[in-house]
Every structure is written in C-alpha cells, then in structure tokens.
Amino acid sequence: MINLNRDIQSLSSFKRNTSEFIQQMKETGKPIVLTVNGKAELVVQDAVSYQKFLV
C-alpha cells in the first residue's frame, strides 16, 4: 500500500533529493509517485522491484 506522506512526492523534491529517494525505493521495494503541479504524472521504481513485477 502506498504511504501518502512517503511515496507521493513532487518532481522538484525528487530532483533535489534523488539519492535519498533511490535509497528509499531500494529499502522498501515500493515505487514513488511524482507530481507536477499537484497532479500525479510519473511513477518511479527501482530496477529489482520492476523486474519482479514483470515476472
């Protein structure tokens, strides 16, 4: 389940803190929803979790 405080972030925040978000995705295995102007636009996921998703 998506944690609204942790897993939904603005694109600007992701750009400023990319390494922290990468570490978070590796630790939790959960994707991050990125927003632009308050609307969900992108979903970012680490490669290992994505590969598991495909299987």
Side-chain angles (χ1 to χ4, degrees), residues 14-51:
F14 185 80
K15 287 179 182 179
R16 284 191 303 269
N17 303 297
T18 303
S19 60
E20 288 100 7
F21 287 117
I22 290 172
Q23 186 62 36
Q24 174 186 319
M25 287 183 283
K26 286 182 176 182
E27 289 174 0
T28 66
K30 295 184 179 188
I32 295 175
V33 177
L34 300 178
T35 63
V36 176
N37 296 324
K39 293 174 56 178
E41 291 289 334
L42 303 165
V43 176
V44 182
Q45 186 172 28
D46 71 289
V48 172
S49 297
Y50 180 70
Q51 188 157 1

